[in-house]
């Protein structure tokens, strides 16, 4: 069994400020973890993924996430927010086994203020 | 790579009518997923296929919903009869393996009046 909790359905930051979007997971087997971004009227796009290699994962658009097994977390960060980062962000977990499927969090809407 | 292609982008229909949504996955991807997204319920997995075979349809709301994948390059999601509560954005996604990243289409926005 697996689940994902995204803390905070809405996050607002000023342009240039740090972005921190929180994701905690539970999984009965070693997980693969993903962050996706969804812009208005579009499907989800992969930002980055963790698949049991390096715990600090770098993705597109300057985002990165760190896998912390002890905290069961996979928080998404970006040092300096840009107006174009305004979107909805989804964390997802998949089992690192031969079967199963991704489970998505409820999403966090990021607003960037000028 | 054209990505996952969904049609139509928008569909407006009257209650009781049949609706068919279409999806062409990325070539070489063995898994195909149908999701529904609403403000109230977020992103819900309806059904997924592996090598054209339905694996898990536990998310399909009721018998009015059906999905098929007659070949590796095409899938349909049908609602018959449609109801206003079916109004949502329906996404198709595909992946190479069950735990690979998903590639989403741009969705079909369905409005049932």
């Amino acid at each position: 069994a697996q689940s994902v909790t995204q803390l905070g359905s809405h996050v607002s930051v000023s342009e240039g400020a740090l972005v921190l979007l929180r994701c905690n997971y539970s999984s009965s087997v070693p997980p693969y973890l993903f962050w996706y971004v969804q812009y208005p009227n579009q499907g989800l796009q992969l930002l980055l993924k963790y698949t049991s290699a390096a715990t600090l994962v770098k993705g597109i658009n300057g985002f990165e996430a760190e896998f912390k097994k002890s905290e069961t977390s996979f928080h998404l960060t970006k040092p300096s927010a840009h107006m174009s980062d305004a979107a909805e962000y989804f964390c997802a977990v998949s089992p690192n086994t031969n079967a199963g499927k991704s489970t998505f969090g409820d999403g966090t809407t990021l607003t960037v203020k000028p | 790579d054209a990505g996952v292609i969904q049609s139509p982008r928008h569909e407006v229909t009257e209650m009781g009518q049949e609706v068919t949504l279409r999806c062409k996955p990325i070539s070489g991807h063995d898994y195909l997923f149908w999701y529904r997204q609403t403000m109230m319920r977020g992103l819900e997995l309806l059904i997924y296929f592996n090598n054209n075979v339905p694996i898990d349809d536990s998310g399909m709301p009721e018998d009015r919903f059906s999905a098929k994948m007659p070949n590796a390059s095409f899938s349909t999601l049908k609602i018959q009869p449609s109801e206003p509560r079916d109004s949502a954005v329906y996404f198709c996604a595909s992946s190479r393996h069950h735990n690979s990243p998903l590639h989403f289409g741009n969705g079909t926005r369905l409005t049932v009046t």
Side-chain angles (χ1 to χ4, degrees):
Chain A
Q2 57 192 25
S3 66
V4 173
T5 302
Q6 291 185 238
L7 298 175
S9 59
H10 290 84
V11 170
S12 180
V13 301
S14 297
E15 191 173 19
L18 171 72
V19 176
L20 171 61
L21 304 182
R22 299 177 187 274
C23 172
N24 287 88
Y25 70 92
S26 69
S27 178
S28 56
V29 298
Y32 286 172
L33 293 158
F34 310 88
W35 275 100
Y36 293 84
V37 60
Q38 184 180 28
Y39 298 104
N41 300 315
Q42 295 185 25
L44 282 68
Q45 305 171 33
L46 181 69
L47 265 182
L48 49 79
K49 62 180 179 181
Y50 165 78
T51 56
S52 72
T55 57
L56 181 62
V57 181
K58 295 187 183 299
I60 61 172
N61 301 337
F63 284 92
E64 63 181 36
E66 186 172 9
F67 172 68
K68 292 187 177 181
K69 184 178 178 180
S70 61
E71 299 177 9
T72 61
S73 69
F74 191 58
H75 301 331
L76 182 70
T77 61
K78 181 174 181 177
S80 177
H82 191 273
M83 297 296 291
S84 61
D85 295 327
E88 188 163 17
Y89 292 80
F90 292 88
C91 182
V93 60
S94 289
N96 181 9
T97 58
N98 290 328
K101 59 187 185 294
S102 292
T103 299
F104 283 81
D106 291 335
T108 297
T109 298
L110 175 66
T111 301
V112 182
K113 299 175 291 185
Chain B
D1 182 356
V4 175
I5 299 173
Q6 290 187 247
S7 64
R9 283 300 309 272
H10 302 273
E11 177 78 45
V12 180
T13 190
E14 293 184 346
M15 182 174 63
Q17 296 299 305
E18 176 180 297
V19 175
T20 299
L21 311 181
R22 296 172 175 80
C23 175
K24 177 179 169 56
I26 292 173
S27 177
H29 282 193
D30 291 340
Y31 286 80
L32 183 139
F33 304 79
W34 281 102
Y35 286 87
R36 177 171 68 176
Q37 187 176 39
T38 61
M39 290 291 291
M40 292 297 295
R41 301 174 69 90
L43 196 64
E44 303 174 274
L45 177 63
L46 301 177
I47 185 171
Y48 78 97
F49 296 81
N50 175 214
N51 291 326
N52 315 337
V53 176
I55 302 300
D56 183 353
D57 65 354
S58 60
M60 295 287 262
E62 48 198 271
D63 292 345
R64 298 185 297 107
F65 285 69
S66 62
K68 294 182 179 180
M69 192 166 186
N71 57 62
S73 59
F74 184 65
S75 177
T76 60
L77 178 67
K78 185 176 294 186
I79 308 172
Q80 166 63 21
S82 58
E83 297 182 3
R85 60 191 168 125
D86 301 331
S87 297
V89 180
Y90 291 81
F91 288 103
C92 177
S94 69
S95 67
R96 191 171 299 278
H97 305 295
H98 74 281
N99 53 14
S100 301
L102 272 63
H103 297 254
F104 284 78
N106 283 326
T108 295
R109 183 175 296 276
L110 173 65
T111 303
V112 183
T113 61

